[in-house]
Amino acid sequence: MKVLIVHAHHEPNSFCSALSQHAKAELEKNGHTVIFSDLYALKFDPVSDRRNFTTTKDSNYLKQQQEEMNATANNGFAPDLESEIQKLEQCDAVLFSFPLWWFGMPAILKGWCDRVLAMGRVYGGAKLYENGIGQSKKRAMIIMTTGGGPGAYDGWGMNPAMQNLLQPIQHGVFWFNGILPLEPFIAWSPARISAEEREQFLSQLTVRINSLLEEQPIKLPPLADFPNFGSDSKSRYQVVISRKSPVDEKYKSLIPAESQVMKELKREGLLLDFDMSDSDDPEWRAFLKMRASDDGELKKQLDRLPLAPYLHFDITKIKPVPAL
Ligand code: FAD
C-alpha cells in the first residue's frame, strides 16, 4: 500500500512531528511505501493564485476553477502542484498530520487543499463523493495535536465538539473526494502532559497505524442519497427513549454493549445526534436523532440495541426544514 503523509508543523522536534515520523516508521516496518510531504520543509506555497498554473485561459479575470479545468486539459499545473496532485492520485491512503490552529488546520495545509484539490483533475463533473478521486477505496486519517484537553471539545465544553470542528476536513476534503474518513487520532495537549503520557500516545498511534487498512471508516451519506443535489432521500426520526422498568443488575451489565452499538450506529451514519438525562433520574429519557430509509429500517436499527427489550421507543418522523 502507498500512503501519503501530508505533514504541517514548522518544528521538526515537536510532538506533532514525532507522531508523523512514528506513523511513517510503523508503515514502512509493515512493508508499505510512504510518500512524505513535509510542507514546511518543502517550503510549500499556500497562496492560491496564477502561480498555480503554467497555462492561462483568461488573463483578464482569474477564476480559479476555470483555470484548473484548462490546466487539466492542457497539462498546465505548476510543478509544485503537479507533484502533489500525482502523490494524491497514486496513494491508497492519506494522513493529514497537523496541530489544531484556530479550531482548524494551519494555513499551509489549508493552502495545500486549496491548490492541490483542483477542479477537473481532482474533482468536479461526476467526480464527487463516492465517485470522487478516492472511489470509496482510498482512506484517510487525521493525526492531530491540540492545546486544549478533550473536555473542552466534547460538546459540553467551552469549545464546539471536535467532531464538528473536523467536519470541513472529514466531510469537506476527504469524503467530498470519495476518500473514506477514519476516526481521527488526537493527541490531546501534548505540551501539558508527562513524557510517559506522550509515550502512550505514540503506542496508541502504533495500534491505529497497524489497523489502517482494516478499520471501519466513518460512514457519511453518499451523493446517491440526494437526487439532483436536493434534500436527503432518507427520512429523519426523533426517538425519545424511556425505561419500561427500573434498572436492575442485568440492565447494568448490558450498558457497555449498548454504548458500543450506539458508537457503531453513529459511525454508520444512522445516529445523527444523541443526548440523555442523568442515568439516576427516575424520569430518565434519551433523545436520538436518526436517519433511516423507512420506519422498518429504523426499528431494525433500534432492535440492535442490547437494552431494547427494557426500553420504550417513542418515534416521530421529522419533516425537513431549512437550517435555522
Ligand atoms: P510541542 O510543544 O512541540 O510538544 C510537546 C512536548 O512533546 C515537548 O516538550 C516536546 O519536546 C515533546 N516531544 C517531542 N517529541 C517527542 C517524542 N518523540 N516523545 C515524547 N515527547 C516528545 N490549541 C487548541 O486546542 N485549539 C486551537 O484552536 C489552537 N489554536 C492555535 C493557533 C496557533 C496559531 C497556535 C500556534 C497554537 C494553537 N493551539 C490551539 C495550540 C496547539 O494546537 C498546540 O500548541 C499544539 O497542537 C501542541 O502540539 P506540538 O506538537 O506543537 O507540541
Side-chain angles (χ1 to χ4, degrees), residues 9 13-16 18 99-103 145-148 153 190-191 198-199 202:
H9 198 296
N13 293 316
S14 66
F15 190 62
C16 184
L100 184 67
W101 277 9
W102 294 115
F103 287 5
T145 53
T146 66
Y153 293 101
R198 285 196 291 270
E199 283 303 321
L202 289 165

Side-chain angles (χ1 to χ4, degrees), residues 288-309:
L288 279 60
K289 189 173 172 193
M290 307 262 312
R291 181 174 187 265
S293 310
D294 52 35
D295 300 8
E297 196 209 343
L298 177 79
K299 292 208 177 80
K300 208 169 100 194
Q301 299 306 340
L302 292 172
D303 282 343
R304 284 168 62 187
L305 294 169
L307 283 172

